Amino acid sequence: MKNHPSRRDFLKVSVGAACAAPLAALNSGAAPWAASAGPAAGPAGAAHIKKAVLVSMLPKNLSYEDRFKLARKVGFEAVEAQTIKDPAEAETIKKAAEAANIRIHSVMNMDHWEYPLSSSDPAVVAKSLAGMKTSLHNAKLWGADTVLLVPAVVNPQTSYRDAWTRSQKQIRTLLPLAEELKVVIGIEEVWNKFLLSPLEMAHYIDEFKSPYIQSYFDVGNVLLYGYPQDWIHTLGKRVAKVHLKDFKRKRDGYAWVNLGEGDVDWPAVRKAFADIGYNGYATTELESGDEADLRDLSKRVDKLVLGV
């Protein structure tokens, strides 16, 4: 199995370039996460995390039904799908999941990079919102309860403050639809130079004051400037879903590697999930592989994340 996630190909940043922007410039007064940033209640070891696989990891030469059956065969309980604009294809995916007896638990929105909500261009924002609306309706059709959203991208044209305010404004326009469909919008950090600390992520989410805005936490992404176990403890009950990757720092840069072969402290991560009582889905996000690769990955999740 290849170990560099294809949707990260655009991430050409260096490890030393990332740094967190201070929250003090954004707000004054008491931090809204102060009373709730700690772990949610839950006895250690009590949580049952469910294994899922990203649909793009399954062999593309197979039909959707056969892909989903393969996922079940090698030990995954669910699939994370991606935005599908064609209604006929979306219906095919629904029927395939039903035939394979596997749940589609979440949807990865596919338009937030090319068309970020933080853009100053109304036409770009309109396309981003349309993509999210399609993703939310996909989720409802498939029985998923979460849509992943990268909320903003900081770049030379978009300041950190503008990324914060613009993205929140647009996400609030999506909230009525999310509430109507009963689908959570899961905010993910993906090397977008935004929400670079767990305190910022908690603050950003809390400002919506809605149970339909939560965190889609990626174990591997935050290694660039932090420790996943710290993020898990800080985000606590805000964690709706989880992505699993591993990351290896190298003298000349970095590399995405298979689970257990990088710098993630998996025992600490496993304990942190137990501490907050997390019992949702953890979705592997690597490149595609054959049946042997997927079976091996399923066993790695058992060992590293489930502790079995």
Side-chain angles (χ1 to χ4, degrees):
M1 178 178 291
K2 298 177 183 178
N3 292 318
H4 190 293
S6 58
R7 86 178 179 107
R8 314 297 185 192
D9 286 346
F10 64 91
L11 298 174
K12 303 301 183 183
V13 302
S14 67
V15 172
C19 61
L23 279 174
L26 291 167
N27 282 292
S28 59
W33 64 80
S36 57
H48 171 64
I49 296 175
K50 295 174 278 289
K51 294 192 297 180
V53 59
L54 184 63
V55 67
S56 62
M57 292 183 60
L58 303 172
K60 295 177 179 59
N61 62 317
L62 300 179
S63 67
Y64 279 115
E65 182 175 338
D66 287 342
R67 288 183 229 181
F68 295 159
K69 286 180 177 177
L70 175 59
R72 290 284 293 181
K73 181 180 179 182
V74 300
F76 290 100
E77 301 173 66
V79 171
E80 178 172 288
Q82 296 173 318
T83 310
I84 297 294
K85 297 179 181 179
D86 178 15
E89 185 178 1
E91 188 64 33
T92 296
I93 291 171
K94 178 179 185 292
K95 292 177 179 178
E98 291 170 350
N101 192 30
I102 196 167
R103 184 184 178 199
I104 297 176
H105 78 94
S106 65
V107 178
M108 178 187 287
N109 176 48
M110 300 300 288
D111 285 334
H112 45 211
W113 280 110
E114 187 175 359
Y115 309 113
L117 289 176
S118 53
S119 173
S120 61
D121 185 342
V124 170
V125 172
K127 290 179 180 179
S128 187
L129 290 172
M132 268 302 290
K133 290 173 183 176
T134 298
S135 299
L136 288 164
H137 284 293
N138 284 162
K140 181 66 174 180
L141 174 67
W142 297 330
D145 58 18
T146 307
V147 169
L148 182 155
L149 173 66
V150 176
V153 178
V154 174
N155 55 36
Q157 295 75 42
T158 303
S159 71
Y160 209 104
R161 179 185 293 276
D162 285 342
W164 188 289
T165 56
R166 290 174 185 169
S167 62
Q168 283 196 338
K169 176 182 177 181
Q170 299 305 328
I171 291 171
R172 287 190 175 96
T173 71
L174 293 167
L175 263 175
L177 179 60
E179 292 168 355
E180 175 190 342
L181 301 178
K182 293 181 169 50
V183 176
V184 168
I185 297 173
I187 303 298
E188 190 186 40
E189 187 288 316
V190 191
W191 291 12
N192 46 329
K193 297 183 173 65
F194 185 60
L195 303 180
L196 301 179
S197 81
L199 292 177
E200 281 186 285
M201 178 68 82
H203 186 184
Y204 184 87
I205 291 169
D206 288 349
E207 285 194 332
F208 288 100
K209 297 180 172 62
S210 171
Y212 287 94
I213 305 295
Q214 298 185 37
S215 167
Y216 204 125
F217 176 70
D218 190 301
V219 171
N221 287 348
V222 301
L223 274 177
L224 189 64
Y225 25 64
Y227 302 90
Q229 59 270 29
D230 177 29
W231 280 70
I232 294 164
H233 280 129
T234 301
L235 293 173
K237 58 182 172 53
R238 302 175 186 85
V239 178
K241 296 290 170 73
V242 170
H243 269 162
L244 301 175
K245 296 199 299 295
D246 211 338
F247 176 88
K248 185 71 175 177
R249 298 178 183 87
K250 302 168 68 175
R251 176 173 294 182
D252 58 348
Y254 59 86
W256 294 103
V257 295
N258 208 344
L259 301 187
E261 297 177 5
D263 294 332
V264 172
D265 184 342
W266 289 104
V269 165
R270 186 166 64 248
K271 181 179 183 303
F273 282 135
D275 288 344
I276 70 169
Y278 181 72
N279 61 359
Y281 290 90
T283 301
T284 56
E285 188 191 8
L286 291 84
E287 285 199 351
S288 60
D290 60 18
E291 180 175 340
D293 293 327
L294 292 165
R295 192 178 298 279
D296 173 71
L297 183 61
S298 178
K299 291 178 180 177
R300 288 173 185 253
V301 177
D302 287 342
K303 176 182 178 181
L304 299 171
V305 183
L306 307 185
V308 297

